[in-house]
Amino acid sequence: MKKIITFGEIMLRLGAPGYLRLTQCNRFDVSFAGSEANVAVSLANYGLPVKYVTRLPDNPISDRCVRELNSYNVDTESVIRGGKRIGILYLETGSNSRPSRVIYDREDSAFATICADSIDWKLIFRDAQWFHWTGITPALSENAAEVCRMAIKTANEMGLTVSCDINYRKNLWNYGKSAAEVMPDLVAGCDIIAGNEEDCEKVFGIKNDNSSFLSVCQQMMERFPKCRKMAVSNRESVNANHNLWSAVLYSDGTLKQSPKYDITDIVDRVGSGDSFMGALIFGLLSFDNDDQKSLDFAVAASALKHTIKGDYNQVSVEEVLNLMNGDSSGRIKR
Amino acid sequence: MKKIITFGEIMLRLGAPGYLRLTQCNRFDVSFAGSEANVAVSLANYGLPVKYVTRLPDNPISDRCVRELNSYNVDTESVIRGGKRIGILYLETGSNSRPSRVIYDREDSAFATICADSIDWKLIFRDAQWFHWTGITPALSENAAEVCRMAIKTANEMGLTVSCDINYRKNLWNYGKSAAEVMPDLVAGCDIIAGNEEDCEKVFGIKNDNSSFLSVCQQMMERFPKCRKMAVSNRESVNANHNLWSAVLYSDGTLKQSPKYDITDIVDRVGSGDSFMGALIFGLLSFDNDDQKSLDFAVAASALKHTIKGDYNQVSVEEVLNLMNGDSSGRIKR
Amino acid sequence: MKKIITFGEIMLRLGAPGYLRLTQCNRFDVSFAGSEANVAVSLANYGLPVKYVTRLPDNPISDRCVRELNSYNVDTESVIRGGKRIGILYLETGSNSRPSRVIYDREDSAFATICADSIDWKLIFRDAQWFHWTGITPALSENAAEVCRMAIKTANEMGLTVSCDINYRKNLWNYGKSAAEVMPDLVAGCDIIAGNEEDCEKVFGIKNDNSSFLSVCQQMMERFPKCRKMAVSNRESVNANHNLWSAVLYSDGTLKQSPKYDITDIVDRVGSGDSFMGALIFGLLSFDNDDQKSLDFAVAASALKHTIKGDYNQVSVEEVLNLMNGDSSGRIKR
Amino acid sequence: MKKIITFGEIMLRLGAPGYLRLTQCNRFDVSFAGSEANVAVSLANYGLPVKYVTRLPDNPISDRCVRELNSYNVDTESVIRGGKRIGILYLETGSNSRPSRVIYDREDSAFATICADSIDWKLIFRDAQWFHWTGITPALSENAAEVCRMAIKTANEMGLTVSCDINYRKNLWNYGKSAAEVMPDLVAGCDIIAGNEEDCEKVFGIKNDNSSFLSVCQQMMERFPKCRKMAVSNRESVNANHNLWSAVLYSDGTLKQSPKYDITDIVDRVGSGDSFMGALIFGLLSFDNDDQKSLDFAVAASALKHTIKGDYNQVSVEEVLNLMNGDSSGRIKR
Amino acid sequence: MKKIITFGEIMLRLGAPGYLRLTQCNRFDVSFAGSEANVAVSLANYGLPVKYVTRLPDNPISDRCVRELNSYNVDTESVIRGGKRIGILYLETGSNSRPSRVIYDREDSAFATICADSIDWKLIFRDAQWFHWTGITPALSENAAEVCRMAIKTANEMGLTVSCDINYRKNLWNYGKSAAEVMPDLVAGCDIIAGNEEDCEKVFGIKNDNSSFLSVCQQMMERFPKCRKMAVSNRESVNANHNLWSAVLYSDGTLKQSPKYDITDIVDRVGSGDSFMGALIFGLLSFDNDDQKSLDFAVAASALKHTIKGDYNQVSVEEVLNLMNGDSSGRIKR
Amino acid sequence: MKKIITFGEIMLRLGAPGYLRLTQCNRFDVSFAGSEANVAVSLANYGLPVKYVTRLPDNPISDRCVRELNSYNVDTESVIRGGKRIGILYLETGSNSRPSRVIYDREDSAFATICADSIDWKLIFRDAQWFHWTGITPALSENAAEVCRMAIKTANEMGLTVSCDINYRKNLWNYGKSAAEVMPDLVAGCDIIAGNEEDCEKVFGIKNDNSSFLSVCQQMMERFPKCRKMAVSNRESVNANHNLWSAVLYSDGTLKQSPKYDITDIVDRVGSGDSFMGALIFGLLSFDNDDQKSLDFAVAASALKHTIKGDYNQVSVEEVLNLMNGDSSGRIKR
């Protein structure tokens, strides 16, 4: 099977243990996190061949990062080394009405200072079928946006499927251009788009004018004619430990609706959007064009992600199918 | 007071910390677990004299196991040493729709390879009044089943009360005989039987044909005339953190119904069935034939078990009575 | 701004980790706790100048305690050293229907054996505007009660606002006098009183004779004419992890009612009453006599306290205002 | 075999982890410690029947303490419950030239406030052959000294062997009498005495006037004619991690000298004197009057104790014999 | 570069933390260990392509094991899944005169019960240049010995270099044949042999009859004419924390002698022999037939291994060269 | 007493626990570190009034940093907030011949990007007597060097004593100027200089041309005539766990020599140079011009620092004096 390629920044994730505040704890749990790496791990976890492309400095922290990706069977051969530092994400896990808090320290990271022509996309895409990127990459720096643009262009030329998670994060767009200026050109090269209501409104000015997401999807499709499918995830946040989670997938002119999961006792919701994206790509590649099944798989997989510590989803296809098939009782498996 | 004797396998329980998956953690929490040992600890905890009989290899892991049982005042004098290894149970704690997972590595354990005549039941039962076993023991090996059979036979001859928890675990019956073949003869020697709906159906082919458990109990009593009381626990699993828990006790021709506890924020539900059994035996021995009180005590005790880490229930009689008497508010005791 | 002074005992808090019982754990989490210190930390946390007065022995455990208070910007200059030991509080955190448990080992502590004339209140109150004490102090020993009495008397003479949290703990009153004998004289010197229904009934014999707390407040005001405002917090305990939390504030002849917070997944509720008191004092000093706002701030702050480990509330004014303004969704802040 | 009885105070030992200072750590390692309990655990560990007598308050901390003693097969049946608190020992482990530090918080403990006639020594000594006490007990309070005196007197009357470890701790003698006043009468009832040079000088005014300990032993024997054997341990402290350790035993008119162990990389030296005492009693009871072998066993056992975390020595007879027989290479045993 | 293949059993390594005894700890540190896997990790770590062949059961513990090997860039594609259990190694780390202790629980493991013809060595060796095995494999079971024999035979036929570490472990040879019966045939197919004095004497009856190892090497070369080089490591054990470490390499008729390292403050010596073997193979493949340099590299690498926690050596070529070049000062690198 | 002011960068110190490599650990120990902050903590620890000036971003990590400084009684009132990030230092602790490793990630930190005129030194020095800086500050950026220059100039004008630790770190001088270009002007304003042999050679081209440091000191004094005293510390590194540590102090025309400490079993040597500096300043301010005593105090204090985890020295004056007075036995203090 041909490879799926994802590209983006991966950061050192330093988490306060349990529900401690960042100001309270005297140790940090160490892991790594990045939207596109998370997607790569999900895909590798389901057994697909996947290569992750990023730029990391040459130090032991990066070695540990690469080692972890290797452990999940993500191909790290094309990770380039250079730059001064790995970006950092400090995470404090909230509870009840105290929200979780993410503090980024990613400016001037090895990835943000990537050279525009340092990646040979033709070589990387040679044995690939799919390229996935997110709206975080072009937010980081002019150069990162340019490398992303070249990747999309090359992928289009070479006939890969291109998917994008819009992933709008207001606070990241600091280098002088706005998402509204940069994103449309990039999204225009995509076959599959994922986003949520806020993404569409903030980046493309497309509002959800009725209770379903149908209108949003239709407007997006009109605006980006290359796009064949659009997925919109929907989180209703009762409190920091309790969310409702569902999604829709618009394709072939219809809006498929997933079940809605009632997720209490959340273990870690960071990365759940990426686990949705990874599972959706897996479904689209594995379920014989059964878009409803792909959507349901993606929502079930990402519902399970809420029970997994760390950014990476670590559930098996069988576990996701069990939940899809209605077993949400949590009874002990012996 | 004369002793209660329990007999069965005890395993090293290696638990992934918190909600981590077994593939994620780099340490295991170490404890010990075994249905009959769990019952013994509950009984000792409530102040009754109890002896636990098992077979363990001669190594420091077993020493630690025996030491822990000693600490709870369980008499380990008759534990025999021999064989090659202690059985192991790997435990991963689930959350929400991700179930907890138990992986057994207990084949060829010291217990499973016990010699049929290595235990002098007459000696052990000399100062005893009660013998408790479970359906796990005869599932493990031909020899284990035979030692169990001899224990029941001797107990019957010497006039002990015999209790059994059917505890049907499909995956354990691997040595060539089925539960349906082996269990009836053993259960026929019992005065008190505990089980659940699935146990009765899978082992004895007795189905619950109405909404209560009355019919199941009546059929069991007919089939096993020595039996005087039958307890059936009932777990409704909302998700891995949230269960409803209740039980019935059939005796003297009537079905006593316990309150139903709504158990959220479960800490550890493994061993809760055993904590029910231990508390029931305690009640039957302590509450002057007040079967309703015994049942209510057993259900309250096992509801509290869901808040205790590890297989062993560690709550006092006073704490159980407080809950039975309606104080489920969880207000701080100062 | 002039200082707020709080006075009382601070203890070493030894907590069993997670939901382990005190009999299970092989390490204790170390922190410090004391009603009046908790109030001081809350106030310092919101940016007010606050001095905490207590007596501690001269050893490294006390050094650690003082160091921790310093870290929160609480002025410890007037902490006096002497006596033999620091009081200890063992804490076991309950879950569901198993209550949390606090075991005090505070008799003969440095604080309880304080000399009646060892504190120069005139000096301490020189640059102060407010004095806060609680009903725990006079419960501890004749001497502690006497020092408290002198503090209130001096504060009254020097024109400070005096606040009191009645904080009735039956088991602490062991030195031969009852709360009913000692407290009224002390409370008579207060401008602001906080308490709950049980406090008023047990200490002053004032019962809540209707569904609101209006009658209790009115009776208290009549009995203690110096008092201008009375706050009554109300906890409804669904179980150890789930409480409902609200309060009322009686002032200027009317009873202000706060919103009621539904607090699930409680992290640590010990100290929440103190966090209410600290936030209330902050509000009364900061919100231009807007008593409703002060009350709402206090209830929101203390609702957030339930998500913070340790006795000290560690939330910012901004975080409290966010919750007051309705954002209880717990959505991640990036 | 008849029992050995030990009697004294056991404390909660709260240790700063690793080499952290007490002011640095945010958790304490929890264990229990007491000279006479340490001796009891050593003896039980070598397989001898041993009963430990003390007084503990009625709370979960004491339950944990008793549970731990049970786990080592120490008979706790005669532990009496009462009093307000368990004594506490805070421990900070030093390194190199920074010494370890012990802070006691044991005044007014349940043991120190023991009633003079609360223990029925006749009953306890009924099936006993040996009574062991230390000079710590009479240092704690008038009452503790009196109970100790009665124990020795009864033991003498009933023909038990009585052993004593002088264990002089200057800072403990605070109740108005000095060791020099109290100890001689008690020591007069002893058959076996252990001590070190400082003990003999400070308590009995007996100085070591030559390079060996012969003169000290001879003077002690003259002064206490009931005494048959005297052991003197000798620690040369290079630094906190590196000690030299040896002992002599005077009996039958000769001074037996042990090998001297060079102990680097010390794990925990607290309790090593007690492990010497426990192993010496074991040797004297097991090695057919081979005093040299008993001494060598005691020194080897206590040398190994320096490698064991916690006050209790946890090494087998076989391990001690291996070291006695010259295997100090530390090569891995597979 | 063509691959190096190693083959053998890998076990779950459960280690007591710090210097705790297995009977003391309530958690185990989780890692994996196996002589041939250790060699594979060393080789991958130095940048060589390496494939590891073993058999593991199909469960999450094995998944974790494979994931860890992947992380080090060891090719696990040819790991076969089957059998019931992964072997286990319990490890207790000693200090000073208390030895470390290894307890094996590896009987009936997936590897020991491997089918004789389940591995297609021709396929695996297709792109390989070197095959490494150890004397542990034929000790485990008749089948394991047979698979090993086939591997050596195929490797010889296909012209691979074959290396062997004799690694004699008396307690493992339990299936009815002795090392002396089985090993010679296997060793006869080897080009490079590593062992120590005890190995040669116990397995081949070759004694070291003078102070150097020259005679042993010459006798081995005579007996096994295919062998071109023989390495003998030499550990002098001062105590569990302090070893002297050196080796010799016999080739081309001369005995090369390495420097001797004085290793104090050992962190973890388990796996150091394997780290020697891995570094030796690396040297022989990388240093242009400079056998002295290969030997020195191997000894320096394995000296460094004593400072690394876990069985796997994790030091870079640069770090080893630094030590070889004389920098053993341990000065901080900034 | 007038204040001592120190100025420099403080970093988040992320340490791999125990002896784990940075690539192995899954948590980091969190503390803070910076040469000048370390000096400030030492001084505050000995009871002197000290203010620390730095620049930190406005986030919870900085809050934690300031809180920790507060806890040690370091005045943080003049810490300015701004910039994007706090510098980071990753620390891996070596053992034996594996060196500890420090990885800096401090470029573009809030401190390095400080504005040249953002600090009002006149205000800060108003109630100060001493200003301390190190050669790290001018290495970080042009701006940092400029702020440092202004501080020295103002301190000179206002008559403060100025001390400097040359602290040459080659890898930090990256902004285009060399230490040799920048440092002399700054050092010219100093009264007290500390350094080591390498510092003097690399920064000032002054070589140690005989076995003592006399010549170096004399040359430095000639070159920098304002300087009255020069201290040179000397570390001989046996290995990562074992160092020899001593120093000399040149003043009044003579070279005072300290004792040399043999430091085995090092706990943490990072920050020991700063602990030397802090203790030296304390001595010079406290010991009535007894320079030998000041030197001896500084060396003893920094010898003890090697036993303390973290950058901050946490020993009392009494503990240092004990060691100075010859008690290096490490015997337990009870």
Side-chain angles (χ1 to χ4, degrees), chain C residues 12 14 22-23 25-30 60-61 64 67 84-85 88 90 101 103 105 107-108, chain D residues 12 14 22-23 25-30 60-61 64 67 84-85 88 90 101 103 105 107-108:
Chain C
L12 176 61
L14 298 172
L22 284 167
T23 47
C25 59
N26 66 356
R27 63 178 180 92
F28 288 148
D29 292 330
V30 174
I61 309 300
R64 203 187 177 304
R67 187 174 285 185
K84 292 176 183 166
R85 57 186 307 265
I88 294 176
Y90 298 98
R101 192 166 172 190
I103 296 173
D105 171 20
E107 293 200 45
D108 304 314
Chain D
L12 176 62
L14 297 173
L22 284 167
T23 47
C25 59
N26 66 358
R27 63 178 179 92
F28 289 148
D29 293 329
V30 174
I61 308 300
R64 204 186 176 303
R67 187 175 284 184
K84 291 176 183 167
R85 56 186 306 266
I88 294 176
Y90 297 99
R101 193 166 171 189
I103 296 172
D105 171 18
E107 292 201 46
D108 304 315

Side-chain angles (χ1 to χ4, degrees), chain D residues 39-290:
Chain D
V39 170
V41 169
S42 270
L43 288 165
N45 191 48
Y46 300 133
L48 299 192
V50 58
K51 170 173 277 195
Y52 174 62
V53 182
T54 192
R55 185 174 186 241
L56 285 171
D58 193 14
N59 68 28
I61 308 300
S62 302
D63 294 347
R64 204 186 176 303
C65 176
V66 168
R67 187 175 284 184
E68 194 164 309
L69 290 166
N70 285 347
S71 78
Y72 292 106
N73 260 324
V74 172
D75 180 341
T76 59
E77 201 186 38
S78 301
V79 170
I80 55 178
R81 293 291 185 107
K84 291 176 183 167
R85 56 186 306 266
I86 186 170
I88 294 176
L89 169 167
Y90 297 99
L91 173 64
E92 175 181 289
T93 301
S95 185
N96 199 259
S97 53
R98 177 168 61 84
S100 288
R101 193 166 171 189
V102 169
I103 296 172
Y104 290 119
D105 171 18
R106 64 200 295 184
E107 292 201 46
D108 304 315
S109 70
F111 187 85
T113 58
I114 194 170
C115 294
D117 57 356
S118 57
I119 296 179
D120 181 348
W121 289 113
K122 281 205 178 150
L123 186 70
I124 287 170
F125 288 156
R126 211 180 26 179
D127 56 350
Q129 62 174 313
W130 193 297
F131 174 64
H132 175 71
W133 63 282
T134 80
I136 291 170
T137 299
L140 296 176
S141 70
E142 189 92 46
N143 278 10
E146 179 55 24
V147 178
C148 196
R149 190 186 329 269
M150 288 165 62
I152 297 164
K153 182 165 169 288
T154 311
N156 285 340
E157 289 166 3
M158 294 174 72
L160 278 72
T161 302
V162 176
S163 61
C164 165
D165 187 344
I166 299 169
N167 240 333
Y168 177 66
R169 304 265 168 83
K170 183 181 56 173
N171 293 330
L172 293 181
W173 288 88
N174 294 320
Y175 65 89
K177 291 200 174 160
S178 70
E181 290 172 281
V182 174
M183 286 291 285
D185 275 4
L186 302 177
V187 170
C190 293
D191 304 282
I192 318 278
I193 300 174
N196 57 31
E197 206 175 332
E198 188 196 1
D199 288 342
C200 296
E201 181 171 347
K202 296 288 172 53
V203 180
F204 306 109
I206 291 173
K207 294 198 183 174
N208 185 17
D209 52 9
N210 59 14
S211 63
S212 90
F213 293 101
L214 182 60
S215 150
V216 168
C217 292
Q218 287 172 330
Q219 290 177 67
M220 285 289 288
M221 298 304 239
E222 277 164 37
R223 177 124 168 229
F224 301 108
K226 188 172 197 306
C227 179
R228 291 177 293 115
K229 300 178 204 281
M230 174 152 189
V232 183
S233 61
N234 185 32
R235 179 185 305 280
E236 296 164 56
S237 197
V238 179
N239 62 40
N241 315 91
H242 184 189
N243 289 184
L244 303 176
W245 178 248
S246 62
V248 297
L249 179 65
Y250 183 84
S251 64
D252 304 323
T254 66
L255 193 72
K256 286 89 188 166
Q257 175 70 47
S258 82
K260 181 182 287 189
Y261 289 96
D262 185 26
I263 311 176
T264 60
D265 304 277
I266 293 174
V267 173
D268 188 346
R269 57 141 286 192
V270 183
S272 47
D274 305 321
S275 72
F276 171 78
M277 191 74 224
L280 182 66
I281 296 174
F282 171 76
L284 294 174
L285 283 169
S286 311
F287 294 154
D288 287 330
N289 299 316
D290 185 340

Side-chain angles (χ1 to χ4, degrees), chain C residues 105-127:
Chain C
D105 171 20
R106 64 200 295 184
E107 293 200 45
D108 304 314
S109 70
F111 187 85
T113 58
I114 194 170
C115 294
D117 58 356
S118 57
I119 297 178
D120 181 348
W121 289 113
K122 281 205 177 150
L123 186 70
I124 287 170
F125 289 156
R126 211 180 26 179
D127 58 350

Side-chain angles (χ1 to χ4, degrees), chain B residues 22-303:
Chain B
L22 285 167
T23 47
Q24 288 184 298
C25 59
N26 66 356
R27 64 178 179 92
F28 288 148
D29 292 330
V30 174
S31 60
F32 294 89
S35 183
E36 304 83 0
N38 298 349
V39 170
V41 170
S42 269
L43 288 165
N45 191 47
Y46 300 134
L48 299 191
V50 58
K51 169 173 278 195
Y52 174 63
V53 183
T54 192
R55 186 175 186 240
L56 285 171
D58 194 13
N59 69 27
I61 309 300
S62 302
D63 294 347
R64 203 187 176 304
C65 175
V66 168
R67 188 174 285 185
E68 194 163 311
L69 290 166
N70 285 347
S71 79
Y72 294 107
N73 260 325
V74 172
D75 180 341
T76 60
E77 201 186 37
S78 300
V79 170
I80 56 179
R81 292 290 185 108
K84 292 175 183 168
R85 58 185 306 266
I86 186 170
I88 294 177
L89 168 167
Y90 297 98
L91 174 64
E92 175 181 289
T93 302
S95 184
N96 199 259
S97 53
R98 178 168 60 83
S100 288
R101 193 166 171 191
V102 169
I103 296 172
Y104 290 118
D105 172 18
R106 64 200 295 182
E107 292 200 45
D108 303 315
S109 70
F111 187 84
T113 57
I114 193 170
C115 295
D117 58 356
S118 57
I119 296 179
D120 182 347
W121 289 114
K122 280 206 177 149
L123 186 70
I124 287 169
F125 288 157
R126 209 179 28 180
D127 57 349
Q129 64 174 314
W130 192 297
F131 174 64
H132 175 71
W133 64 282
T134 80
I136 291 171
T137 299
L140 297 177
S141 72
E142 190 92 46
N143 278 11
E146 179 55 25
V147 178
C148 197
R149 191 187 329 268
M150 289 165 61
I152 297 165
K153 183 166 168 287
T154 311
N156 285 339
E157 288 166 4
M158 293 175 73
L160 279 72
T161 301
V162 177
S163 61
C164 165
D165 187 344
I166 298 169
N167 240 333
Y168 177 65
R169 304 265 168 84
K170 183 180 56 172
N171 292 331
L172 293 180
W173 288 88
N174 293 321
Y175 66 89
K177 292 199 174 160
S178 70
E181 290 172 281
V182 175
M183 286 291 285
D185 275 4
L186 302 177
V187 171
C190 294
D191 304 282
I192 318 278
I193 299 174
N196 58 31
E197 206 175 334
E198 189 195 1
D199 287 342
C200 295
E201 181 171 346
K202 295 288 171 53
V203 181
F204 306 109
I206 291 174
K207 293 196 186 177
N208 186 16
D209 52 10
N210 58 16
S211 62
S212 91
F213 293 102
L214 181 59
S215 150
V216 169
C217 293
Q218 286 171 332
Q219 290 177 66
M220 285 290 288
M221 298 303 239
E222 277 165 34
R223 177 124 168 229
F224 301 108
K226 187 172 197 304
C227 180
R228 291 177 293 116
K229 300 178 204 280
M230 175 153 188
V232 183
S233 61
N234 185 33
R235 180 185 305 280
E236 298 164 55
S237 198
V238 179
N239 63 41
N241 316 90
H242 184 188
N243 289 185
L244 303 176
W245 179 248
S246 61
V248 296
L249 178 65
Y250 183 85
S251 65
D252 304 322
T254 65
L255 193 73
K256 287 90 187 165
Q257 174 70 47
S258 82
K260 180 181 289 189
Y261 289 96
D262 185 27
I263 311 178
T264 60
D265 304 277
I266 292 174
V267 172
D268 189 347
R269 56 140 287 193
V270 183
S272 48
D274 305 322
S275 72
F276 172 79
M277 191 73 223
L280 182 65
I281 296 175
F282 171 76
L284 294 174
L285 283 169
S286 311
F287 294 154
D288 287 332
N289 298 317
D290 184 340
D291 282 5
Q292 180 68 47
K293 186 173 177 190
S294 296
L295 172 67
D296 291 354
F297 185 88
V299 174
S302 46

